[in-house]
Amino acid sequence: MESHSDNHERSPSGRVVRWAIVGVALAAAYMLWTDHQAHLYGVLPYLLLAACPLMHLFHRHGHRNHRPGSAEKPDGSEPPSGPDTTG
């Protein structure tokens, strides 16, 4: 029985095409960086300000069970009641 990876071996021409695409992408990124660097620095403060509410929205999923007065731990178990006497 042949594995799935044996059926889809990459040919040398596919590697050449992939490296050509990577090379063109790097050249385009370099040209954009050098030609539009001043525009990027002008937009950077706005990107930082936009990152604050986005981080607030996307990182709130970890704070569901941290409500004040909640007796339930995040894993669903309840804490032991009374003082700890296992000293």
Side-chain angles (χ1 to χ4, degrees):
M1 181 175 198
E2 292 182 19
S3 68
H4 184 67
S5 62
D6 292 340
N7 295 333
H8 297 289
E9 290 184 14
R10 293 192 177 127
S11 65
S13 63
R15 290 182 191 160
V16 171
V17 170
R18 175 175 285 178
W19 280 108
I21 291 172
V22 169
V24 169
L26 286 174
Y30 175 75
M31 293 173 130
L32 285 172
W33 175 259
T34 56
D35 290 343
H36 298 285
Q37 200 170 15
H39 303 298
L40 177 67
Y41 291 141
V43 175
L44 192 59
Y46 298 111
L47 291 175
L48 290 174
L49 287 174
C52 295
L54 291 174
M55 286 175 48
H56 180 74
L57 287 173
F58 291 117
H59 288 124
R60 288 184 56 89
H61 67 276
H63 297 286
R64 285 188 202 134
N65 295 324
H66 297 288
R67 285 178 246 133
S70 175
E72 189 175 331
K73 289 184 178 180
D75 62 355
S77 63
E78 291 191 21
S81 60
D84 186 20
T85 58
T86 59

